[in-house]
Amino acid sequence: MAAEHTEEHGHAPGAAHAHVAPVGLYVFTFFVLMILLIFTLLAARIDLGPLNIVLALTIAVIKAGFVIWNFMGVRYASKLTWIFAFGGFAWMLLMFLIFGDYVSRVPIQGWKP
Amino acid sequence: MSVEAIHGAHGVLAPHNDEMHQEVAHQFEDIDQQNESYMVGMWSFLMTEVMFFGVLFVAWAIYRHLYIAEFAAAHKALNVPLGTTNTFILLFSSFTMAMAVRCAQIGKRSGLLAFMGVTILLSFGFLVVKSFEYAHKFEDHLVPGAAFNRQELMHLKEEAEAERSGAGKALAAENAREAADPNVERGLDKPRFSDKAQIYFALYFIMTGLHAIHVIIGILIMGTLWTMIKFKHKAVQDYMPIEMTGLYWHFVDLVWIFLFPMLYLVGH
């Protein structure tokens, strides 16, 4: 997106080329994060068995999404930046698969962790 | 809420004064190429950080899966109100950092100094709360090692079991036996409840400690930048170093967003 803007508006060399987000976006994001923090605390009080951790981490992923998309400005970033930001998700997916491998294996007879 | 609605179709603002402007280094075609190089460089660094923390997250997941009851008991030692306070502090500091970066982008030096100053103060606040938490763990001997406090852990275990449905009574005798168990040599094939629970505390100290180191590095970077901006150093006339620091700080916030539920809230 950065490239599009320079082509549309020839501004003086040396001028700032930032995508300036409105203050409202940051205030909105902060309030969403606060609400999600309260959700996390309330969700931890309810006994959902094994689903507690799933719910807690789902809320954390949503919170992380808001921070990455709005605070870190990925919404305004170039496609090339997106690839690198996505790399982090790819790594976490790989970590999840390693976890899945540990969880799904049948223990060898007599072996106790 | 869209950028266009507020700033017109540009999305680009010229700086308010001559103190903030960007020089194009000779190896770049133009300022956009230079800015994108900054962004891609920073994001690739952040990806290595994801790899750094990611392996610890998977270690946590595997050990939690293996030692679910031990983790449930051990996590009772953590102070949720203090953890919540720190989560609030970090989320708010992320907001002030985003505002600082915005001020840098539009060349508002006074706002930049104020917001970055608040961010630095908040990060000190985080470390103060964290130090109280660590001190309390050390006082209770809930640090992995030879002096690990088994009695305290067994109290936590009873607390955790009281919350779980029906698991409590059968294990009461075992709890009493282990609490009274002297610190004798044991084979690695016969780990006790408290031995396994120490893995939780090991992960707690490694993960929050590594995160705290990142907070300290963040304070050093932000403090240096703040001083440079204050004394109008040439290098910070460009807003990009401030934006990069912002990305780093948001990443520190991101790690904590996961650490908080993983360490403080799970195990019910």
Side-chain angles (χ1 to χ4, degrees):
Chain A
M1 271 178 78
E4 289 166 26
H5 283 289
T6 36
E7 279 156 26
E8 284 165 30
H9 319 282
H11 35 61
H17 285 233
H19 287 262
V20 183
V23 176
L25 178 74
Y26 294 142
V27 175
F28 166 76
T29 308
F30 177 66
F31 273 100
V32 170
L33 289 172
M34 283 298 109
I35 290 164
L36 288 172
L37 173 60
I38 294 164
F39 274 178
T40 314
L41 290 168
L42 292 177
R45 287 170 175 271
I46 315 162
D47 190 0
L48 297 169
L51 285 180
N52 266 111
I53 185 64
V54 178
L55 182 59
L57 288 180
T58 306
I59 297 174
V61 168
I62 297 169
K63 272 161 113 178
F66 272 95
V67 170
I68 294 168
W69 193 242
N70 293 338
F71 279 169
M72 297 176 97
V74 168
R75 61 190 292 155
Y76 305 123
S78 66
K79 298 269 191 310
L80 187 59
T81 312
W82 283 14
I83 291 174
F84 280 85
F86 181 75
F89 286 99
W91 179 263
M92 290 317 290
L93 182 68
L94 188 63
M95 292 298 107
F96 188 75
L97 293 176
I98 291 172
F99 172 64
D101 184 34
Y102 268 86
V103 172
S104 61
R105 276 177 197 253
V106 180
I108 298 163
Q109 194 72 39
W111 181 80
K112 277 193 89 181
Chain B
M1 189 58 71
S2 79
V3 192
E4 285 76 12
I6 290 186
H7 296 298
H10 299 253
V12 178
L13 288 185
H16 289 168
N17 52 39
D18 293 333
E19 282 164 14
M20 303 292 283
H21 71 280
Q22 295 187 289
E23 297 279 354
V24 182
H26 64 85
Q27 70 268 33
F28 294 111
E29 290 277 330
D30 54 24
I31 190 68
D32 289 317
Q33 193 191 39
Q34 176 173 313
N35 286 350
E36 192 170 25
S37 304
Y38 266 115
M39 291 296 275
V40 169
M42 191 64 198
W43 274 99
S44 50
F45 165 68
L46 290 182
M47 217 197 104
T48 65
E49 291 274 79
V50 171
M51 292 161 83
F52 196 10
F53 280 99
V55 288
L56 287 169
F57 283 19
V58 79
W60 168 86
I62 290 166
Y63 276 113
R64 185 185 178 276
H65 172 73
L66 291 174
Y67 305 151
I68 182 88
E70 289 82 353
F71 270 46
H75 103 287
K76 288 268 158 207
L78 265 60
N79 190 325
V80 176
L82 286 184
T84 310
T85 309
N86 261 352
T87 311
F88 172 78
I89 289 174
L90 270 196
L91 290 176
F92 188 57
S93 78
S94 239
F95 167 72
T96 56
M97 193 69 208
M99 290 301 292
V101 170
R102 189 182 183 278
C103 287
Q105 288 171 341
I106 61 175
K108 245 176 96 180
R109 204 171 142 267
S110 58
L112 168 57
L113 283 170
F115 277 116
M116 197 177 257
V118 171
T119 312
I120 294 168
L121 288 179
L122 287 168
S123 35
F124 272 114
F126 177 88
L127 288 179
V128 168
V129 174
K130 198 84 228 145
S131 70
F132 280 121
E133 285 192 76
Y134 274 9
H136 200 248
K137 298 286 165 303
F138 275 85
E139 280 163 15
D140 285 351
H141 284 275
L142 288 173
V143 181
F148 187 76
N149 188 345
R150 282 202 199 83
Q151 275 81 5
E152 178 63 24
L153 184 77
M154 289 303 130
H155 289 310
L156 297 169
K157 191 185 175 191
E158 275 158 27
E159 237 178 84
E161 276 160 5
E163 279 184 13
R164 294 161 85 90
S165 45
K169 286 168 194 164
L171 292 162
E174 189 202 318
N175 288 357
R177 183 155 37 81
E178 182 160 342
D181 197 358
N183 194 8
V184 290
E185 286 293 323
R186 275 173 166 254
L188 285 173
D189 53 330
K190 286 183 221 152
R192 284 171 295 198
F193 187 89
S194 54
D195 294 337
K196 296 179 192 170
Q198 287 186 54
I199 291 186
Y200 171 86
F201 287 103
L203 283 170
Y204 167 77
F205 280 108
I206 292 169
M207 291 170 98
T208 59
L210 195 60
H211 178 263
I213 289 170
H214 277 77
V215 173
I216 293 166
I217 292 170
I219 291 175
L220 292 174
I221 296 170
M222 287 188 289
T224 310
L225 273 184
W226 193 91
T227 315
M228 286 167 86
I229 297 159
K230 182 77 186 165
F231 293 101
K232 300 181 181 176
H233 193 280
K234 248 190 103 185
V236 287
Q237 286 178 338
D238 187 346
Y239 71 93
M240 266 313 205
I242 296 139
E243 179 147 352
M244 298 301 98
T245 311
L247 286 178
Y248 174 84
W249 192 250
H250 295 312
F251 176 80
V252 172
D253 183 33
L254 275 183
V255 173
W256 186 260
I257 284 175
F258 286 96
L259 288 185
F260 177 60
M262 281 163 65
L263 296 170
Y264 288 77
L265 296 178
V266 295
H268 285 269

